[in-house]
Amino acid sequence: MRTMDAAAVKKINGRLQKYAWPLLLGMCGVLLASRLYRLLEEDRVMLFCIVVFFAPILAHAVLAIGKRLVGNAEWLRKLYLASSVVLFMVATGIWANAAMDRSAVRAVQTSVTHRGITSGRYSTTYHLFVTSWRAGKMNENLRVSRDIYYSMSVGEAVVVKVHRGFLGMGWYGQITPTK
């Protein structure tokens, strides 16, 4: 009986493994879209996407550890697929929001409050924190290129090109000093 359960679990894991690929592709799509079009609410969108990405993986682990994978394989397959679809929709939404945006670009003057660098194993991201122009927010975290980062200093006035977004998700483009 134990051998049959182990064989069934192995078979189910093999079948479910193929559903991890669309999940991974969806997350890569979100990362690529957000790299091309920088949302003002990027932190919230990324947090949502991380939760959606890890939900089926965590559920898979919990069911496997609890030895309940055999009876829940179909539910888990649907969770993998639903999470993949959500990530593809978010990636498409980010892209469509900016690519189809025909609203007037607004040039907002603000100033750099501080700067920061986040480094990972394979990449470095440069951040300028500026005084927010939006109600209820103190700062905006703007992802910038290495050149822009090193050309700006704390206290410097900058102009940020802000877009409303086709789907109403604000995003920003060019950032330049006001000199």
Side-chain angles (χ1 to χ4, degrees):
M1 185 73 172
R2 278 262 200 244
T3 315
M4 186 178 281
D5 286 344
V9 168
K10 186 174 182 176
K11 188 175 181 180
I12 289 169
N13 280 330
R15 286 184 183 160
L16 290 173
Q17 186 176 6
K18 66 183 174 188
Y19 295 105
W21 289 109
L23 187 68
L24 185 59
L25 286 174
M27 191 62 169
C28 288
V30 168
L31 294 172
L32 179 62
S34 70
R35 186 62 72 177
L36 294 172
Y37 302 112
R38 299 167 295 186
L39 295 176
L40 290 170
E41 295 295 336
E42 184 178 61
D43 292 345
R44 288 182 184 180
V45 172
M46 285 301 148
L47 178 61
F48 172 77
C49 289
I50 288 168
V51 168
V52 169
F53 178 79
F54 281 109
I57 296 168
L58 182 61
H60 193 150
V62 167
L63 290 171
I65 290 167
K67 299 185 184 338
R68 292 179 290 151
L69 192 58
V70 175
N72 291 294
E74 182 60 19
W75 173 82
L76 194 53
R77 183 187 72 80
K78 289 177 182 177
L79 181 60
Y80 270 107
L81 288 173
S83 296
S84 299
V85 167
V86 168
L87 291 175
F88 277 108
M89 289 174 60
V90 171
T92 303
I94 292 170
W95 176 82
N97 181 64
M100 298 173 72
D101 186 5
R102 302 292 177 254
S103 64
V105 177
R106 206 172 92 202
V108 177
Q109 187 167 346
T110 186
S111 61
V112 178
T113 58
H114 57 287
R115 307 176 330 153
I117 299 175
T118 53
S119 295
R121 181 179 235 175
Y122 302 107
S123 68
T124 302
T125 306
Y126 300 90
H127 303 269
L128 288 180
F129 296 88
V130 299
T131 307
S132 182
W133 55 89
R134 299 187 292 163
K137 296 217 31 147
M138 290 183 60
N139 288 307
E140 299 290 344
N141 177 0
L142 307 178
R143 215 174 358 98
V144 296
S145 70
R146 181 182 189 274
D147 293 339
I148 295 289
Y149 178 84
Y150 284 112
S151 71
M152 305 279 175
S153 57
V154 173
E156 185 172 359
V158 296
V159 173
V160 180
K161 301 287 175 110
V162 180
H163 306 262
R164 187 176 64 84
F166 180 73
L167 299 174
M169 296 184 290
W171 61 286
Y172 61 96
Q174 188 178 19
I175 300 166
T176 54
T178 59
K179 296 180 194 176

